[in-house]
Amino acid sequence: MKTALITGASKGIGLEIARELCAKGYHVLLAARNPHAGSETASRLVRQKYVCTFVPMDVSDSASIREAHRQVSTKIQHLDVIINNAGVMLDHSQSILAVSESLLLSTLQTNAIGALTVVQAFLPLMQRGGRIINVSSSGGQITNGASTFAPAYCISKTTMNAITLQLSSALASEGIAVNAMCPGWVQTEMGGAGAPRSVSQGADTAVWLATEAPQSLTGKFLRDRKEISW
Ligand SMILES: NC(=O)c1ccc[n+]([C@@H]2O[C@H](COP(=O)([O-])OP(=O)(O)OC[C@H]3O[C@@H](n4cnc5c(N)ncnc54)[C@H](OP(=O)(O)O)[C@@H]3O)[C@@H](O)[C@H]2O)c1
C-alpha cells in the first residue's frame, strides 16, 4: 500500500487532498498541529473504511517535526508522497513597508522553512519514485512582478518555490520528483466564502502530482495540471 504524508490536513485543501488520496487506496498520514481536530478528522476517515493515521505535527517547530518522524518511523518503512500543504496568511492588505519582522519570520517559518524541514526529516523514508508536492500560491510568482495583496505571505510562497527548485535539483539523481502547485482561490478558512473554487478543484493538481503525473515531471510550478511561470 502506498503512503502519503500531508501537512496541515485537519481542514481545507489539505483535508480534501487527504480524503482523495484515501479514496485512491493510499495510507494517509494526516498531519495536523491541533491534536483534537487532527485525531477527530483521521477517525472520521477511518470510520469510512479508509486507512488513515493521525500524526501530530506543528511545521513551525522543528522539534515537533522530528518527533513526528520518530513516531511515523515506528509504524511505516517507506513513504511515497510528501505534500507540504500547511500554511498561514498572517498579513492582509498591508504594505511591505509596514510588515513587522516577527510577522515576516513566523510566516516564513511555517510556509517555507517548515516545508523544507519536513522534507529533510522524512526523506530517509522515501525511495526512488517518491513525489514531493509543495502547495504554493500564484501570490509567490515573480516573473511579471510581485503580487502585493499580502507581502509576507507572497514572499513566503516565492521562497517555497525557490526551495522546490533546490530540492528538485538535489533529488533528481535519486529519482524523486519535486514540484510546486497553486490551488487557485479556494473556499476555505484562508480563501473565504467568496472564493470561486471548491476544495476539490483546489486539491486536484496536488492529487494528480501525487498519483498520475509522469515521474519525469520535476522542478515545475503548476496550476490546473499545467506549467505556470515562477
Ligand atoms: N485557499 C486559497 O485560496 C489558497 C490559495 C493559494 C494557496 N493556498 C495554500 O493552500 C494551503 C492550504 O490552505 P487552505 O486554504 O486550506 O487554508 P486553511 O483552511 O486555513 O488551512 C490551513 C491548514 O494549515 C494548517 N497549519 C497552519 N499552520 C500550521 C502549522 N504551523 N503546523 C501545522 N499545520 C498548520 C492549519 O491548521 P490549524 O487548523 O491548526 O490552523 C490548517 O489545517 C496553504 O499552504 C495556502 O497557502 C490557498
Side-chain angles (χ1 to χ4, degrees):
M1 181 175 240
K2 289 196 168 182
T3 53
L5 172 75
I6 307 160
T7 68
S10 55
K11 65 184 179 196
I13 296 165
L15 172 56
E16 179 61 17
I17 295 170
R19 209 189 54 70
E20 293 190 23
L21 289 183
C22 277
K24 287 180 181 290
Y26 280 67
H27 174 188
V28 167
L29 302 165
L30 187 149
R33 64 176 165 179
N34 178 324
H36 180 69
S39 57
E40 267 297 302
T41 308
S43 301
R44 228 182 312 134
L45 290 168
V46 169
R47 282 197 294 277
Q48 292 169 46
K49 308 281 179 242
Y50 293 140
V51 184
C52 183
T53 305
F54 168 55
V55 179
M57 193 203 297
D58 180 341
V59 303
S60 68
D61 176 356
S62 55
S64 167
I65 295 171
R66 280 197 303 276
E67 174 57 19
H69 172 258
R70 195 195 61 74
Q71 284 183 27
V72 166
S73 305
T74 64
K75 295 191 185 92
I76 63 157
Q77 279 70 53
H78 78 278
L79 191 56
D80 298 283
V81 175
I82 297 172
I83 301 187
N84 281 307
N85 166 78
V88 287
M89 191 193 300
L90 304 174
D91 55 344
H92 303 278
S93 316
Q94 209 173 2
S95 160
I96 181 77
L97 302 175
V99 167
S100 70
E101 181 183 0
S102 66
L103 185 142
L104 185 56
L105 284 174
S106 57
T107 305
L108 283 167
Q109 186 68 48
T110 299
N111 293 3
I113 298 164
L116 175 60
T117 309
V118 167
V119 172
Q120 289 171 334
F122 283 86
L123 199 59
L125 287 170
M126 198 168 250
Q127 285 137 25
R128 190 160 278 277
R131 292 161 183 245
I132 297 169
I133 296 114
N134 290 330
V135 180
S136 184
S137 166
S138 57
Q141 283 179 299
I142 51 172
T143 303
N144 297 310
S147 295
T148 52
F149 65 93
Y153 176 78
C154 292
I155 288 168
S156 75
K157 294 300 190 181
T158 308
T159 309
M160 178 185 236
N161 288 351
I163 288 169
T164 304
L165 277 174
Q166 290 278 345
L167 286 172
S168 168
S169 298
L171 295 172
S173 62
E174 313 217 1
I176 294 173
V178 189
N179 292 291
M181 57 77 66
C182 169
W185 184 17
V186 178
Q187 289 151 21
T188 62
E189 205 166 295
M190 185 186 289
R197 291 186 159 213
S198 66
V199 279
S200 117
Q201 287 171 311
D204 176 72
T205 299
V207 172
W208 177 74
L209 284 168
T211 56
E212 291 169 40
Q215 187 67 34
S216 56
L217 181 69
T218 187
K220 304 292 184 202
F221 189 19
L222 298 105
R223 178 178 160 140
D224 295 333
R225 304 188 185 192
K226 297 207 170 57
E227 189 177 350
I228 57 173
S229 59
W230 292 105

